[in-house]
Amino acid sequence: SQKIEQNSEALNIQEGKTATLTCNYTNYSPAYLQWYRQDPGRGPVFLLLIRENEKEKRKERLKVTFDTTLKQSLFHITASQPADSATYLCALDQGGKLIFGQGTELSVKP
Amino acid sequence: KAGVTQTPRYLIKTRGQQVTLSCSPISGHRSVSWYQQTPGQGLQFLFEYFSETQRNKGNFPGRFSGRQFSNSRSEMNVSTLELGDSALYLCASSGGLGKGSYNEQFFGPGTRLTVL
């Protein structure tokens, strides 16, 4: 069956460290993969999009990798700050539809 | 530019009733997608409209329907409400011409629907 799995547990890290979030998928062949941030009571906010022929994408303190052989995307936040605390969602393209993972709740402690 | 707006923000209905939710996309965006978010199932794709045509559809029963107007504003309708329809309904618009998942999605704040 088709599945998207993100870090099942909440992630707690210390301010200044690098947070690494994982998105694994099975039985999908996405041409695109996106990452979003969602704060409580709000809609998701787009962060990065990576295409299947791209290995890595960066935006300021954010970095995304996409390994179609491993069927995995990694999302890194370097020099993390308490303001980065939120739920992070990966979403992959399936024939034009966006299919979302359950999300990983990140908490950055000062 | 104003963001995506959704009305109403909160709604309480009883089983068997029907509901209509509204979404105004970012000016110039022609693609509007709808999602349902629940704690158990997460964020699930309902459908996408582009230039007044449904371009893609998720795996939801026929009770869930939508439409898009010539000004790109969209509505979704849920008929014969069930308790399990209680959720946050999110609308997202995108500006690209490709299918919704190929482009950055701009989400609205959502409509919180409670079915009693």
Side-chain angles (χ1 to χ4, degrees), chain B residues 21-26 28-34 47-56 65-77 91-94 96:
Chain B
L21 312 181
S22 181
C23 171
S24 292
I26 289 172
H29 284 189
R30 290 158 64 187
S31 166
V32 174
S33 297
W34 287 89
F47 27 66
E48 183 206 0
Y49 286 86
F50 182 87
S51 292
E52 301 178 68
T53 301
Q54 188 179 84
R55 188 157 68 171
N56 228 321
S65 62
R67 59 177 176 167
Q68 187 180 33
F69 302 95
S70 58
N71 62 358
S72 292
R73 192 177 69 83
S74 177
E75 288 180 347
M76 71 160 275
N77 185 278
C91 158
S93 73
S94 68

Side-chain angles (χ1 to χ4, degrees), chain A residues 12-26:
Chain A
N12 297 301
I13 64 166
Q14 209 65 34
E15 183 176 7
K17 300 290 185 186
T18 295
T20 298
L21 284 64
T22 305
C23 177
N24 294 301
Y25 58 92
T26 53

Side-chain angles (χ1 to χ4, degrees), chain A residues 31-32 34 36 38 41-46 49 51 89 92-102, chain B residues 9 35 37 39-43 45 48 56-58 88 90 99-105 107-109:
Chain A
Y32 302 80
Q34 303 186 27
Y36 287 80
Q38 188 172 24
R42 293 177 174 248
V45 174
F46 173 82
L49 179 152
R51 294 174 175 77
L89 300 155
L92 51 85
D93 153 68
Q94 184 64 21
K97 307 174 197 180
L98 256 190
I99 310 297
F100 280 84
Q102 289 280 76
Chain B
R9 292 293 313 278
Y35 298 84
Q37 187 171 34
Q41 299 298 317
L43 202 56
F45 174 82
E48 183 206 0
N56 228 321
K57 190 177 187 310
L88 181 67
L90 291 157
K99 290 185 177 177
S101 60
Y102 303 169
N103 303 289
E104 170 183 356
Q105 299 282 300
F107 281 85

